[in-house]
Amino acid sequence: MGQGLWRVARNQQLQQQGYSGQGYLTREHGRRIATNNVSNNTSHRKQTQGGIDIYHLLKTRKSKEQEGFINLEMLPPELSFTILSYLNATDLCLASCVWQDLANDELLWQGLCKSTWGHCSIYNKNPPLGFSFRKLYMQLDEGSLTFNANPDEGVNYFMSKGILDDSPKEIAKFIFCTRTLNWKKLRIYLDERRDVLDDLVTLHNFRNQFLPNALREFFRHIHAPEERGEYLETLITKFSHRFCACNPDLMRELGLSPDAVYVLCYSLILLSIDLTSPHVKNKMSKREFIRNTRRAAQNISEDFVGHLYDNIYLIGHVAA
């Protein structure tokens, strides 16, 4: 009797488990069908929007051996050039081993040249026979390396290749728009070529700039010497005249002259050293700076000098 009841209960339990498993399989099968329908609808929308499925274009493969490697020749030219435009010169040369026609495009190399060397005299001339921007890039890179070793030889190299004209203004524009030149060598070159320095100063526009910020911009292009001397005095003098020329209304309003701006610039440099040097224990206070500065330039307002101090205190050195 007991065994019979046990068998009946066991059979009912097995039937319930079978029903549950069957229901689970039925529900799971339904889910898979619904998922496949959604995927098919999404794929259909991708294909119908715009007429071109970019997703499938990006997944185009040249061969099974190159699986996972996009063939740029299968993409629209605009998209291929956009991808290649993010490469530097070294990577673009490597890309030309695979996609020679795309990677040797003149527009790509022209962009590389002008993004690194913003101004060259040859940009504004009719290109000579056999000219290419890829070759020009190699010459500009070679000339920059030569300049960083010997500035005079570097400038002569640029002139011999027709890249730069023998003009102080053209050389100044080239220096102003180039960031690959060694600043120590450049400082030596500008100290010897004061004519180039004059034209380089006139390229700066300090209109509506606060004096310490303008001085920082100036020293980012023309690095200050490590020690005080005649060259530093020359730089500050040229900056003072240029700053006044760019802000005539402000100079009249504040009653400042180039000599007064010269004094303020020296005061800002000394204050920068005082506040940033770890060797100076007793830092100059705002009151001391105002008092010392107004002794040298009496016509300057106390509020204006106080703003100068705040700028150095919050932002930092003007000639770092």
Side-chain angles (χ1 to χ4, degrees):
M1 181 70 179
Q3 292 180 355
L5 291 175
W6 180 84
R7 289 192 184 96
V8 172
R10 180 60 177 167
N11 290 336
Q12 291 177 352
Q13 183 179 6
L14 291 174
Q15 290 176 1
Q16 292 175 357
Q17 289 178 351
Y19 174 78
S20 300
Q22 183 179 3
Y24 170 78
L25 292 175
T26 303
R27 289 193 299 272
E28 183 65 19
H29 180 67
R31 288 196 192 97
R32 291 179 180 177
I33 294 175
T35 302
N36 291 334
N37 291 335
V38 172
S39 299
N40 292 334
N41 291 335
T42 303
S43 177
H44 177 70
R45 284 196 300 269
K46 286 182 178 179
Q47 293 177 356
T48 57
Q49 291 177 356
I52 298 177
D53 190 353
I54 301 299
Y55 176 76
H56 288 297
L57 285 175
L58 291 175
K59 298 195 69 174
T60 302
R61 301 290 185 262
K62 188 174 183 180
S63 64
K64 292 183 179 180
E65 292 78 14
Q66 293 178 328
E67 186 174 0
F69 197 75
I70 298 175
N71 183 6
L72 297 183
E73 293 178 348
M74 301 298 294
L75 300 179
E78 297 82 1
L79 184 57
S80 300
F81 288 133
T82 301
I83 295 172
L84 293 175
S85 66
Y86 289 98
L87 301 181
N88 57 29
T90 302
D91 293 336
L92 195 57
C93 287
L94 294 175
S96 66
C97 298
V98 182
W99 307 289
Q100 185 174 2
D101 293 337
L102 291 173
N104 287 333
D105 186 80
E106 282 291 276
L107 290 178
L108 291 175
W109 287 99
Q110 181 181 2
L112 282 176
C113 289
K114 293 189 175 182
S115 63
T116 308
W117 300 274
H119 175 82
C120 292
S121 303
I122 197 172
Y123 293 161
N124 303 318
K125 298 179 180 179
N126 293 326
L129 186 64
F131 172 84
S132 71
F133 277 99
R134 177 172 179 170
K135 180 180 178 181
L136 177 62
Y137 184 95
M138 304 305 174
Q139 293 175 342
L140 286 168
D141 188 57
E142 179 68 22
S144 297
L145 294 174
T146 305
F147 184 96
N148 293 337
N150 188 314
D152 292 326
E153 292 183 3
V155 173
N156 292 333
Y157 175 87
F158 289 130
M159 292 179 183
S160 66
K161 299 298 182 180
I163 298 173
L164 277 181
D165 292 340
D166 189 4
S167 165
K169 184 176 292 186
E170 286 296 304
I171 298 174
K173 289 181 180 179
F174 175 80
I175 293 173
F176 185 79
C177 299
T178 302
R179 297 292 177 268
T180 60
L181 304 180
N182 183 276
W183 64 271
K184 292 183 178 180
K185 297 294 184 180
L186 181 58
R187 187 176 61 193
I188 296 173
Y189 180 77
L190 293 176
D191 191 14
E192 297 174 351
R193 292 291 305 269
R194 297 299 176 91
D195 54 343
V196 177
L197 178 61
D198 291 338
D199 288 318
L200 184 59
V201 172
T202 59
L203 293 175
H204 291 81
N205 183 11
F206 302 123
R207 184 172 179 79
N208 296 329
Q209 291 192 29
F210 194 37
L211 180 60
N213 297 333
L215 197 58
R216 288 190 187 93
E217 180 183 338
F218 179 75
F219 283 130
R220 272 196 293 268
H221 288 94
I222 307 174
H223 291 269
E226 298 175 354
E227 298 178 355
R228 300 182 199 176
E230 186 269 339
Y231 181 57
L232 178 60
E233 294 178 358
T234 301
L235 291 181
I236 298 177
T237 300
K238 293 182 181 297
F239 168 82
S240 302
H241 284 84
R242 182 59 182 169
F243 184 82
C244 292
C246 292
N247 299 280
D249 297 335
L250 179 63
M251 296 301 102
R252 283 194 298 268
E253 180 182 349
L254 298 176
L256 297 178
S257 64
D259 292 337
V261 175
Y262 178 91
V263 172
L264 290 176
C265 291
Y266 244 115
S267 299
L268 290 173
I269 293 175
L270 295 177
L271 177 64
S272 299
I273 297 173
D274 184 274
L275 294 181
T276 59
S277 175
H279 304 291
V280 179
K281 302 301 180 182
N282 298 322
K283 305 296 183 181
M284 184 183 299
S285 66
K286 186 175 182 178
R287 182 175 298 178
E288 290 173 336
F289 177 73
I290 294 174
R291 183 178 64 249
N292 296 336
T293 303
R294 296 195 68 191
R295 285 178 182 175
Q298 299 178 357
N299 295 331
I300 303 175
S301 67
E302 182 176 338
D303 291 339
F304 181 74
V305 179
H307 291 320
L308 296 178
Y309 182 93
D310 294 338
N311 184 280
I312 303 301
Y313 184 83
L314 295 174
I315 299 179
H317 207 302
V318 293

